[in-house]
Coordinates of all heavy atoms in Angstrom, one line a residue:
A687 N 3.3 -3.6 9.7 CA 2.1 -4.3 9.3 C 2.3 -5.8 8.9 O 1.3 -6.4 8.6 CB 1.3 -3.6 8.1
S688 N 3.4 -6.2 9.0 CA 3.9 -7.5 8.5 C 3.7 -8.7 9.6 O 4.0 -9.8 9.4 CB 5.3 -7.6 7.9 OG 5.5 -6.8 6.9
A689 N 3.2 -8.2 10.8 CA 3.0 -9.2 11.9 C 1.8 -8.9 12.6 O 1.4 -7.8 12.6 CB 4.2 -9.3 12.7
G690 N 1.2 -9.9 13.3 CA 0.1 -9.7 14.2 C -1.2 -9.9 13.6 O -1.3 -10.3 12.3
S691 N -2.2 -9.7 14.4 CA -3.6 -10.1 13.9 C -4.1 -9.0 12.8 O -3.7 -7.9 12.8 CB -4.6 -10.0 15.0 OG -5.9 -10.1 14.5
F692 N -4.7 -9.5 11.8 CA -5.2 -8.7 10.7 C -6.7 -8.7 10.7 O -7.3 -8.7 9.6 CB -4.7 -9.1 9.3 CG -3.3 -8.5 9.1 CD1 -2.2 -9.0 9.7 CD2 -3.2 -7.4 8.2 CE1 -0.9 -8.5 9.5 CE2 -1.9 -7.0 8.0 CZ -0.8 -7.5 8.6
R693 N -7.3 -8.7 11.8 CA -8.8 -8.7 11.9 C -9.4 -7.4 11.4 O -10.5 -7.4 11.0 CB -9.2 -9.0 13.3 CG -8.8 -10.5 13.8 CD -9.4 -10.7 15.1 NE -9.0 -12.0 15.6 CZ -9.5 -13.1 15.1 NH1 -10.5 -13.1 14.3 NH2 -9.1 -14.4 15.5
G694 N -8.5 -6.4 11.5 CA -9.0 -5.1 10.8 C -8.3 -4.8 9.6 O -7.6 -3.7 9.4
F695 N -8.2 -5.7 8.6 CA -7.3 -5.6 7.4 C -7.5 -4.3 6.7 O -6.5 -3.7 6.2 CB -7.6 -6.8 6.5 CG -6.6 -6.7 5.3 CD1 -5.3 -6.7 5.3 CD2 -7.3 -6.8 4.0 CE1 -4.5 -6.6 4.2 CE2 -6.5 -6.7 2.9 CZ -5.2 -6.7 3.0
V696 N -8.7 -3.9 6.5 CA -8.9 -2.6 5.8 C -8.2 -1.4 6.5 O -7.9 -0.5 5.7 CB -10.5 -2.3 5.7 CG1 -11.2 -3.2 4.8 CG2 -11.1 -2.2 7.1
E697 N -8.0 -1.5 7.7 CA -7.3 -0.4 8.4 C -5.7 -0.5 8.2 O -5.1 0.5 8.5 CB -7.6 -0.6 9.9 CG -9.0 -0.3 10.3 CD -9.2 -0.4 11.8 OE1 -8.2 -0.5 12.5 OE2 -10.4 -0.3 12.2
T698 N -5.3 -1.5 7.4 CA -3.9 -1.5 7.2 C -3.5 -0.6 5.9 O -2.4 -0.4 5.6 CB -3.3 -2.9 6.9 OG1 -3.9 -3.4 5.7 CG2 -3.7 -3.7 8.0
F699 N -4.5 -0.2 5.2 CA -4.5 0.7 4.1 C -4.4 2.1 4.7 O -5.4 2.6 5.2 CB -5.5 0.6 3.1 CG -5.7 -0.8 2.5 CD1 -6.8 -1.5 2.6 CD2 -4.6 -1.3 1.7 CE1 -6.8 -2.7 2.0 CE2 -4.6 -2.5 1.1 CZ -5.7 -3.2 1.2
P700 N -3.2 2.8 4.6 CA -3.1 4.2 5.2 C -3.9 5.1 4.4 O -4.1 5.0 3.2 CB -1.6 4.5 5.0 CG -1.2 3.6 3.9 CD -2.0 2.4 3.9
D701 N -4.6 6.1 5.1 CA -5.3 7.2 4.5 C -4.5 8.2 3.8 O -4.8 8.8 2.9 CB -6.3 7.9 5.5 CG -7.3 7.0 5.9 OD1 -7.8 6.1 5.2 OD2 -7.8 7.1 7.1
E702 N -3.3 8.5 4.3 CA -2.3 9.4 3.8 C -0.9 8.9 3.6 O -0.4 8.4 4.6 CB -2.3 10.7 4.7 CG -3.6 11.5 4.7 CD -3.9 12.0 3.5 OE1 -3.1 12.2 2.5 OE2 -5.2 12.4 3.2
V703 N -0.5 8.7 2.5 CA 0.8 8.2 2.2 C 1.6 9.3 1.7 O 1.5 9.7 0.6 CB 0.8 7.1 1.1 CG1 2.2 6.6 0.8 CG2 -0.1 6.0 1.5
K704 N 2.6 9.8 2.5 CA 3.3 11.1 2.2 C 4.3 10.7 1.1 O 4.7 11.6 0.4 CB 4.1 11.5 3.5 CG 3.2 12.0 4.6 CD 3.9 12.4 5.7 CE 3.0 12.9 6.8 NZ 3.7 13.5 8.0
T705 N 4.8 9.5 0.9 CA 5.8 9.1 -0.1 C 5.3 8.0 -0.9 O 5.0 6.9 -0.3 CB 7.2 8.9 0.6 OG1 7.6 10.0 1.3 CG2 8.2 8.5 -0.4
L706 N 5.4 8.1 -2.2 CA 5.2 7.0 -3.1 C 6.5 6.5 -3.7 O 7.4 7.2 -3.9 CB 4.3 7.4 -4.3 CG 2.9 8.0 -3.8 CD1 2.2 8.4 -5.1 CD2 2.1 6.9 -3.1
Y707 N 6.7 5.2 -3.8 CA 7.9 4.6 -4.3 C 7.8 4.4 -5.9 O 6.9 3.7 -6.3 CB 8.1 3.2 -3.7 CG 9.4 2.7 -3.7 CD1 10.2 2.7 -2.6 CD2 9.9 2.0 -4.9 CE1 11.5 2.1 -2.6 CE2 11.1 1.6 -4.8 CZ 12.0 1.6 -3.8 OH 13.2 1.0 -3.8
N708 N 8.5 5.2 -6.5 CA 8.4 5.2 -7.9 C 9.2 4.0 -8.6 O 10.4 3.8 -8.2 CB 9.1 6.5 -8.6 CG 7.9 7.5 -8.9 OD1 7.0 7.6 -8.2 ND2 8.1 8.2 -10.0
I709 N 8.5 3.3 -9.5 CA 9.1 2.1 -10.1 C 8.9 2.2 -11.6 O 7.9 2.6 -12.1 CB 8.4 0.8 -9.6 CG1 8.5 0.8 -8.1 CG2 8.8 -0.4 -10.3 CD1 7.5 -0.3 -7.4
P710 N 10.0 1.8 -12.3 CA 9.8 1.7 -13.8 C 8.9 0.7 -14.2 O 8.8 -0.4 -13.6 CB 11.2 1.3 -14.3 CG 12.2 1.7 -13.2 CD 11.3 1.6 -11.9
I711 N 7.9 1.0 -15.1 CA 6.8 0.2 -15.4 C 6.7 0.0 -16.9 O 7.3 0.8 -17.8 CB 5.5 0.6 -14.9 CG1 5.2 2.0 -15.5 CG2 5.5 0.7 -13.4 CD1 3.8 2.6 -15.2
E712 N 6.0 -1.1 -17.3 CA 5.6 -1.2 -18.7 C 4.3 -0.3 -19.0 O 3.8 0.3 -17.9 CB 5.1 -2.6 -19.1 CG 6.3 -3.5 -18.9 CD 6.1 -5.0 -19.2 OE1 4.8 -5.2 -19.5 OE2 7.0 -5.8 -19.1
K713 N 3.8 -0.1 -20.1 CA 2.8 0.9 -20.5 C 1.5 0.6 -19.7 O 0.8 1.5 -19.2 CB 2.6 1.0 -21.9 CG 1.7 2.1 -22.4 CD 2.2 3.5 -22.0 CE 1.5 4.6 -22.6 NZ 1.9 6.0 -22.2
F714 N 1.2 -0.7 -19.7 CA -0.2 -1.0 -19.2 C -0.2 -1.7 -17.8 O 0.5 -2.7 -17.7 CB -1.0 -1.8 -20.2 CG -2.3 -2.3 -19.6 CD1 -3.3 -1.4 -19.5 CD2 -2.5 -3.6 -19.3 CE1 -4.6 -1.9 -19.1 CE2 -3.7 -4.1 -18.8 CZ -4.7 -3.2 -18.7

């Protein structure tokens, strides 16, 4: 998704993400 036309930008958000990338975070 990092190249090319983004005229349909909303479609770059996947409906199903099988894997989430876990990241250490602060509380808020």
Side-chain angles (χ1 to χ4, degrees):
S688 297
S691 174
F692 274 76
R693 295 187 182 280
F695 177 57
V696 291
E697 296 181 4
T698 67
F699 296 119
D701 289 331
E702 292 298 337
V703 178
K704 295 182 179 180
T705 301
L706 300 177
Y707 199 102
N708 260 37
I709 300 172
I711 58 169
E712 296 176 1
K713 187 66 176 176
F714 173 74

